[in-house]
Amino acid sequence: MKHLLSTEDLSLTDAVRILDTAEEMAAVGEREVKKLPALRGRTVVNLFFEDSTRTRISFEAAAKRLSADVINFAAKGSSVSKGESLKDTAQTLEAMSADAVVIRHWASGAPARLAASGWIDAAVINAGDGTHEHPTQALLDAFTLRRHVCALAGRSSTGEDLRGLRIVIVGDVLHSRVARSNLWLLNTLGAEVTLVAPPTLFPVGIQAWPCKVSFDLDEALADNPHAIMMLRVQGERMNAAFFPSAREYSRTWGFDDDRLAALEATAGKDTIIMHPGPMNRGLEISSAAADSPRSTILAQVRNGVSVRMAALYLLLSGEDTATTTPAQE
Ligand code: CP
């Protein structure tokens, strides 16, 4: 692979290799010296046309742990406001040296356009494009599932897919690149996915997606899922006419205190609660649920650094962990 643009493109072998490499990166993160020399002399450019906290900073942390240099670009405050194009912006940054461009863009397809255009030679990593995909978020979610759910079931956290897991993804599916990337990747890894949303927040053609579809969160929860993934309500992309009131939304599709209590009352149930962040507390998830011991929200953030180290390492080091492991660096 030269680029990481989509989880739809990932084979089972590629996906498991990234997750296994991320496990090795996580082990490096537990050492006293957390840095590897693997990407010394390489430069990673973070090219962000939309706001971000977790993705941008964890790509920066990941690149620095691999000893790469990092250049951060935010469209706000740049010459984009003077009309500079994506091509000119990318070529300008590459002229100052770039081996990888990590791009977040409001336009679906912008990272694929950059990768296919020939405008730059650098590897392109999609850090979230419009409503299309957010592949590293799905990979860190899969990594979290493998560590939390598979570990509870006594399965190994390396070399494994997610066969047999039941995952419920809930909320604003219409606008969610996280839901799309997770759906493709979870299917590749063998998990069963149920999408739950208000009827107005499903995309046209949802029936053709490889998952179950439901409007009823309580019915989906009654199926004892291994994980519930709550999605952010994306107010900034929303047509208010299609959104139920906040009160109706949180009561019908939010993971609220009553649903948390119902989960706690079910003996022996180890269901974990996930959210990619940032959260609208009190809308799609209650504070009690977000902060409960079942929540993996901060573990997802921590795992994001290991997964992004793995992605950068596999794309830029020219090494396959089958021959050289990060631990041997
Ligand atoms: N999950 C996620 O993409 O968060 P940020 O928008 O903060 O990067």
Side-chain angles (χ1 to χ4, degrees):
M1 275 195 322
K2 165 142 193 208
H3 309 290
L4 177 56
L5 300 172
S6 154
T7 56
E8 213 175 355
D9 299 340
L10 285 180
S11 68
L12 177 60
T13 308
D14 287 339
V16 171
R17 178 177 297 150
I18 295 170
L19 299 180
D20 286 351
T21 306
E23 275 297 342
E24 295 189 52
M25 296 301 176
V28 170
E30 279 154 27
R31 290 185 192 165
E32 201 179 321
V33 179
K34 298 183 184 357
K35 248 177 134 97
L36 290 175
L39 299 186
R40 193 182 289 145
R42 304 298 189 96
T43 302
V44 174
V45 172
N46 283 324
L47 187 57
F48 277 59
F49 291 82
E50 265 190 354
D51 295 344
S52 167
T53 297
R54 289 147 205 79
T55 311
R56 194 194 64 68
I57 291 172
S58 73
F59 265 112
E60 181 172 355
K64 286 179 172 171
R65 282 197 187 170
L66 292 168
S67 305
D69 295 319
V70 181
I71 296 172
N72 288 311
F73 168 92
K76 263 184 215 152
S78 76
S79 289
V80 169
S81 67
K82 301 170 195 165
E84 191 159 48
S85 67
L86 174 60
K87 174 182 175 179
D88 290 337
T89 302
Q91 286 184 336
T92 298
L93 289 164
E94 193 183 48
M96 296 182 227
S97 169
D99 296 290
V101 171
V102 176
I103 176 171
R104 169 168 290 190
H105 205 285
W106 47 265
S108 298
R113 174 83 179 113
L114 190 58
S117 62
W119 296 334
I120 59 172
D121 291 328
V124 177
I125 300 180
N126 181 0
D129 61 327
T131 59
H132 175 229
E133 281 234 28
H134 191 351
T136 57
Q137 177 69 47
L139 285 159
L140 75 87
D141 289 340
F143 183 87
T144 304
L145 284 165
R146 215 167 63 156
R147 281 199 146 188
H148 286 257
V149 180
C150 297
L152 278 175
R155 285 162 63 174
S156 164
S157 64
T158 53
E160 280 265 5
D161 56 25
L162 298 178
R163 208 154 305 182
L165 266 55
R166 294 184 307 282
I167 315 296
V168 175
I169 303 179
V170 189
D172 182 3
V173 176
L174 179 63
H175 301 104
S176 181
R177 53 198 179 206
V178 173
R180 285 165 179 76
S181 281
N182 263 296
L183 179 59
W184 312 136
L185 183 63
L186 289 168
N187 263 276
T188 299
L189 291 169
E192 272 177 36
V193 179
T194 301
L195 295 180
V196 182
T200 51
L201 292 181
F202 273 125
V204 173
I206 185 73
Q207 295 79 4
W209 289 20
C211 58
K212 291 185 200 160
V213 171
S214 170
F215 306 129
D216 188 333
L217 177 54
D218 295 311
E219 193 179 85
L221 294 180
D223 199 26
N224 278 357
H226 294 91
I228 305 153
M229 227 179 250
M230 304 308 296
L231 300 172
R232 182 171 72 86
V233 173
Q234 301 197 29
E236 75 279 18
R237 302 187 207 273
M238 193 81 72
N239 178 339
F242 295 115
F243 190 63
S245 71
R247 191 178 157 80
E248 184 191 352
Y249 187 91
S250 68
R251 193 183 292 163
T252 314
W253 291 283
F255 200 88
D256 61 7
D257 292 354
D258 290 344
R259 294 194 169 97
L260 180 64
L263 194 64
E264 298 296 354
T266 316
K269 224 169 160 186
D270 293 319
T271 309
I272 60 168
I273 302 168
M274 306 176 77
H275 192 301
M279 291 175 269
N280 295 300
R281 287 176 183 254
L283 183 57
E284 72 260 5
I285 190 165
S286 71
S287 275
D291 299 334
S292 86
R294 292 173 183 277
S295 165
T296 58
I297 294 169
L298 290 177
Q300 287 168 262
V301 175
R302 269 191 299 278
N303 295 339
V305 177
S306 305
V307 164
R308 287 168 179 134
M309 284 174 79
L312 289 169
Y313 178 81
L314 291 169
L315 288 175
L316 294 187
S317 72
E319 297 290 351
D320 184 323
T321 51
T323 53
T324 306
T325 68
Q328 289 168 332
E329 292 273 353

